Amino acid sequence: MLKITDLVKRYGTGDPVLKDLNLTIEGETVVSVIGSSGAGKSTLLRCINKLVAPTSGSIVLNGTELTGLTGRQLREARRKIGMVFQGFNLVDRLTVMENVQSGRLGYLSTWAALTRRYPREEIRHAYELMERVGIAHYADKRADELSGGERQRVGVVRALMQRPEILLADEPTASLDPKTSEQIMQLLRDLAGELKLPVLINIHNVNEARLYTDRIVGMRYGRIIFDSVPGDLTDAAMDEIYSGIPSQDRAQDRAADAAAAPRLAT
């Protein structure tokens, strides 16, 4: 279970990017985070894996408080958090297998990592995962020879090689065409169920959030203002998330418009 309590992130002396944010994720659920650019979606994910340090608040993953960790303890905790990036973050000159095995670097000795001497069991596991996502036949191919969808599948497998307790995905389909985007979202959804793994996805495509995730969290100006199942994401809720118009205000506006309509017609 991931439990975030009163999370605040401030850069310098500016206004907080995240403001007293509270969020709990458990089970094999797939949760999407939506909102306008600047809402704090990416910062939220980066605080969870401590790519950026929270200013205050608490982030607990399966009983481990992450916010105060440093050094070796932080490296060990990060092993439990898989991350899929928008820009893939692959090493182009390395093969698919070598990129996938980089997900195990936190477990290898420095010598094994430098010489790329991967344990036989890890190679076998990598092939199993690559077979599952349809890229096993590319194991010896350089990463820069792959399409965008294939590269993102490599990124997914690399994250799963960590044997994570949660999977984070930061705009995983932003660089992909619509059909490939749907395939990646379906893959993430399927893997969540197969591996009993919670998945948290920062995404701009609201239709994909509705279709492929179990729960939608809407953010605006660093706060969560919507948290429910996709069926509850009404036009009024969308207005509030993307336009800053509270649902009750929008309902009042519509009522006023309806009342004014007969007068305007006369």
Side-chain angles (χ1 to χ4, degrees), residues 3-25:
K3 185 174 180 62
I4 300 173
T5 307
D6 298 332
L7 184 65
V8 174
K9 175 57 186 176
R10 183 193 306 272
Y11 293 99
T13 59
D15 292 335
V17 179
L18 301 177
K19 306 171 183 177
D20 298 317
L21 187 144
N22 293 277
L23 180 66
T24 299
I25 300 172

Side-chain angles (χ1 to χ4, degrees), residues 43 48 55 63 67-68 92 103-104 130 153 192 232 240 256:
T43 299
I48 293 172
T55 301
T67 51
D92 286 343
R104 298 300 294 170
M130 288 191 292
R153 289 171 188 269
D232 290 341
E240 187 172 359

